[in-house]
Amino acid sequence: MQAILVALLVVVWLGTMWVGFVFVFPVVFSVALVVAAAGAIGYYYVYACRALVPAPAKGLAPVPVPASARSQDAPVPDPAYRHYLLTQVWRDWWAITRGIMPKIITIATVALTTVTRTLVSGIWGFFTFPLWLAICSGIVLAAVPAALLGTLLTLLYGAVVTVGLAGWLVCVLVLGIVERVFMAYGRILQTCPHPFCYEKVALPVYECPACGERHRRLTPNSFGAIRHVCRCGTRLPTTIPLGRFRLTAYCPHCNGRLPERIGRVRVEPLPFVGGPAAGKTTFMFLAIRALHARARAGHGTVTFVERRHAQAYAGAVQEFQRGGRLAKTGPELPLATMVDVDLPGAGHRILYLFDPAGEHFTGATLVESLRYLDHGEALLFVMDPFALPQVRRTLTGEENELVAQAVASSDEDPADTLQRVLNELRSRRDRGRQKRVAVVVTKSDLLAYTIVGRHLEDPASSAEVRAWLEGLGLGNIIRALDQLASEVRYFGSGLSTEPGLVAELLGWVTGLPVGGENAATGGTGPELPGTAPLRAPWEARGRDSALVPASYQAGRWAILAGMSILTIAALVSTAAYAIPVIIR
């Protein structure tokens, strides 16, 4: 009887195994495979959405805030977010992969343990073995489509990075070329006006208008092509044509503030060269007055960059009106008097007018400290006629007394001053070549009361002033200037010289076609030049620093869109494989 029972059980078991493996196993295996694969893929997708969709920087894939450039521990080149496709995209990929895989394995392990404990823990396990094997095999083999999807997602990341970086590289190259062409076409020169620096500036340091962080590499590069995103979230333009000139700029060598719109228009350094008491400061203020009058007549603007220079000019005007003398220039190295000149139809320049004390030209070592001589292509040589030995010898006693009472005269021979400057200029790579040199013979109104000065009938005539100097035996100076510059003009200046003529000379030497008409009358605008306001400053826009930059969000959404397409394709492919199997 027991043998019959055992035989019956064996037959039942074999029948159950046959039914289980032939009919139950394919269906259950397919269902388990689809459910497990869909669950893994769906969980992966949901986790990726949780990591990529939220805007806060502190999420499942945190975005670190760039270090501050003010940090003393680890200074950084730029306190800005690097391009998303260079670093953060791979942090996102690793955060998703590292976060999802352990959880999927844990869920699969729990499912296998539960199924095993339920189906094969007792005697009934001999009969439910096909069902158990089908479920477990489906769960285990679901790793194949999940792994395939993970591989495809990694390839997706690689494809997005490749395409995005190619577009980024094209933008960087195009924008870089456009800016270089713009600066070359406009002959844009950027130099520092501050004492003990005077360096040529390739790229200024720009200040974020929102948080004040300094950006040293605000140009198309790894931090972005069109915009850089400051650590505070403000978007900053990377090129001059895109508006970078509207940011506050600083010299990268000395951290001195540069004039507004630096890089947008050409900086024209104009050194005033002359010995002590040669009249450099007086002529500079006369030239600014004449240029301002010309601008008022032509509806243009002449403004000072620094308030201190506007105040100094106003004080000089008052001194002129009282008939007094200007105070002697201090012995320190000069900060350039920065004048923003914008004349409709004529052009736009930022003039750096360097007016050092004449003592800086009395020794070779002192001249070497005037490093701004290394950058300019124009020079204004101020000559005191009463410092010329040939003139002094011709003055009568009455004339000497008249000159001594009227003005202070220089004791430095202009020929010596010029020779020291020429020696310094010859140390340049171009041997000190200048495009334009203006020679200004000052105190011409007083010179007219002397016998030697009466031969100079028209001080405004370049040819006549040159001939007058040659008649005094200054042929060597004239020939040296002819070798130094492509063009040389000579001009006699006094307090009564027509402002239009002074403006025309200053415009010529700086490359501004201001015209020669008398600009002292007519026109609109303030009587005195003021301080230049920043024209249309850059508006601080961007996302809060607690949120990821907009470019990061766009990159994440692009990845998520591709991931959605792949997920749908994977689920459709899995269903297309499983449904026919189930139906059969």
Side-chain angles (χ1 to χ4, degrees):
M1 187 65 182
Q2 291 181 350
I4 295 174
L5 184 58
V6 171
L8 182 60
L9 289 174
V10 170
V11 171
V12 172
W13 180 79
L14 291 175
T16 302
M17 292 298 102
W18 181 80
V19 172
F21 281 105
V22 174
F23 297 103
V24 177
F25 184 89
V27 175
V28 175
F29 170 77
S30 300
V31 172
L33 177 62
V34 170
V35 172
I41 295 172
Y43 193 80
Y44 191 107
Y45 180 75
V46 170
Y47 191 88
C49 289
R50 291 173 56 199
L52 300 180
V53 170
K58 295 182 178 180
L60 295 179
V63 177
V65 177
S68 172
R70 302 166 180 167
S71 173
Q72 299 296 326
D73 300 330
V76 295
D78 253 17
Y81 290 88
R82 291 180 66 84
H83 194 284
Y84 175 73
L85 298 178
L86 292 176
T87 54
Q88 186 60 39
V89 66
W90 298 114
R91 291 196 187 108
D92 291 348
W93 172 81
W94 178 242
I96 295 173
T97 303
R98 183 183 59 184
I100 195 66
M101 294 306 296
K103 293 185 178 181
I104 290 179
I105 293 174
T106 300
I107 293 173
T109 302
V110 172
L112 290 174
T113 303
T114 303
V115 169
T116 301
R117 186 183 302 113
T118 303
L119 297 179
V120 296
S121 59
I123 192 172
W124 288 105
F126 290 102
F127 299 94
T128 58
F129 178 76
L131 180 61
W132 170 84
L133 184 61
I135 296 175
C136 291
S137 300
I139 294 174
V140 173
L141 291 180
V144 175
L148 179 60
L149 178 63
T151 303
L152 292 176
L153 290 176
T154 302
L155 295 176
L156 170 67
Y157 270 87
V160 170
V161 170
T162 301
V163 174
L165 288 181
W168 162 79
L169 183 60
V170 170
C171 289
V172 168
L173 294 176
V174 170
L175 290 173
I177 292 173
V178 168
E179 181 167 65
R180 282 170 174 79
V181 170
F182 170 81
M183 299 192 74
Y185 178 77
R187 297 174 54 251
I188 304 298
L189 174 68
Q190 301 177 121
T191 61
C192 178
H194 294 279
F196 302 102
C197 183
Y198 303 133
E199 292 287 344
K200 193 172 183 179
V201 177
L203 180 66
V205 176
Y206 291 95
E207 183 178 78
C208 174
C211 67
E213 285 283 354
R214 303 283 179 90
H215 294 254
R216 293 183 171 271
R217 295 172 55 192
L218 193 53
T219 186
N221 53 28
S222 60
F223 294 99
I226 299 176
R227 295 282 190 269
H228 286 190
V229 179
C230 181
R231 67 188 307 268
C232 70
T234 302
R235 294 178 297 160
L236 306 175
T238 59
T239 64
I240 293 297
L242 292 175
R244 193 179 66 200
F245 65 92
R246 292 160 56 188
L247 297 169
T248 303
Y250 296 86
C251 175
H253 306 287
C254 69
N255 291 323
R257 184 167 178 172
L258 298 177
E260 292 159 356
R261 296 204 293 178
I262 185 79
R264 180 67 176 84
V265 296
R266 178 176 172 82
V267 168
E268 194 70 54
L270 183 61
F272 283 66
V273 175
K280 299 187 300 300
T281 303
T282 299
F283 182 77
M284 183 182 73
F285 283 121
L286 291 176
I288 294 174
R289 182 186 68 177
L291 198 59
H292 178 59
R294 172 67 184 88
R296 292 180 63 215
H299 304 285
T301 59
V302 171
T303 50
F304 290 100
V305 173
E306 293 281 344
R307 185 174 299 277
R308 71 184 95 170
H309 294 147
Q311 295 171 346
Y313 175 80
V317 170
Q318 294 178 356
E319 194 66 31
F320 285 145
Q321 293 172 344
R322 290 197 299 264
R325 298 181 183 179
L326 296 182
K328 181 175 175 56
T329 305
E332 64 276 359
L333 286 173
L335 167 68
T337 298
M338 293 173 279
V339 182
D340 190 306
V341 182
D342 191 359
L343 301 178
H348 187 192
R349 293 283 192 280
I350 297 176
L351 305 183
Y352 283 4
L353 306 180
F354 290 99
D355 175 31
E359 285 76 11
H360 284 285
F361 297 104
T362 59
T365 304
L366 295 174
V367 174
E368 289 178 0
S369 65
L370 306 178
R371 302 312 309 168
Y372 55 79
L373 293 172
D374 296 341
H375 311 305
E377 56 183 28
L379 193 70
L380 201 148
F381 181 44
V382 180
M383 181 184 298
D384 180 1
F386 300 108
L388 294 170
Q390 299 87 335
V391 173
R392 287 181 176 179
R393 286 195 295 266
T394 62
L395 295 179
T396 65
E398 293 181 358
E399 292 172 346
N400 274 319
E401 184 177 353
L402 175 65
V403 171
Q405 292 177 353
V407 295
S409 297
S410 175
D411 296 327
E412 175 77 11
D413 189 343
D416 296 336
T417 300
L418 179 61
Q419 188 59 49
R420 294 189 189 98
V421 174
L422 291 179
N423 291 337
E424 177 60 27
L425 289 174
R426 290 190 183 106
S427 66
R428 295 180 6 177
R429 291 183 179 180
D430 60 356
R431 303 296 296 169
R433 287 290 297 175
Q434 304 286 298
K435 285 189 175 181
R436 297 171 295 273
V437 170
V439 179
V440 178
V441 178
T442 58
K443 308 170 186 176
S444 62
D445 46 357
L446 183 61
L447 188 65
Y449 290 99
T450 66
I451 296 176
V452 67
R454 292 170 188 167
H455 299 290
L456 183 58
E457 297 180 358
D458 185 7
S461 171
S462 177
E464 188 167 335
V465 175
R466 176 182 175 128
W468 182 76
L469 292 174
E470 285 181 333
L472 293 175
L474 300 180
N476 290 335
I477 291 180
I478 292 173
R479 285 187 290 273
L481 291 173
D482 287 340
Q483 295 175 357
L484 175 69
S486 301
E487 295 182 81
V488 182
R489 282 195 185 183
Y490 297 84
F491 185 78
S493 172
L495 295 179
S496 60
T497 303
E498 291 185 1
L501 298 175
V502 178
E504 193 264 339
L505 178 73
L506 187 65
W508 171 81
V509 76
T510 57
L512 279 170
V514 301
E517 63 271 16
N518 191 343
T521 60
T524 59
E527 291 291 336
L528 298 178
T531 304
L534 179 59
R535 298 170 175 86
W538 184 258
E539 185 176 352
R541 292 181 178 178
R543 310 183 83 179
D544 188 89
S545 58
L547 305 178
V548 300
S551 59
Y552 279 37
Q553 193 75 73
R556 286 178 165 181
W557 285 353
I559 296 246
L560 191 59
M563 186 181 297
S564 301
I565 295 173
L566 283 179
T567 301
I568 294 172
L571 293 176
V572 169
S573 299
T574 304
Y577 162 77
I579 290 175
V581 175
I582 295 173
I583 294 176
R584 289 198 300 267

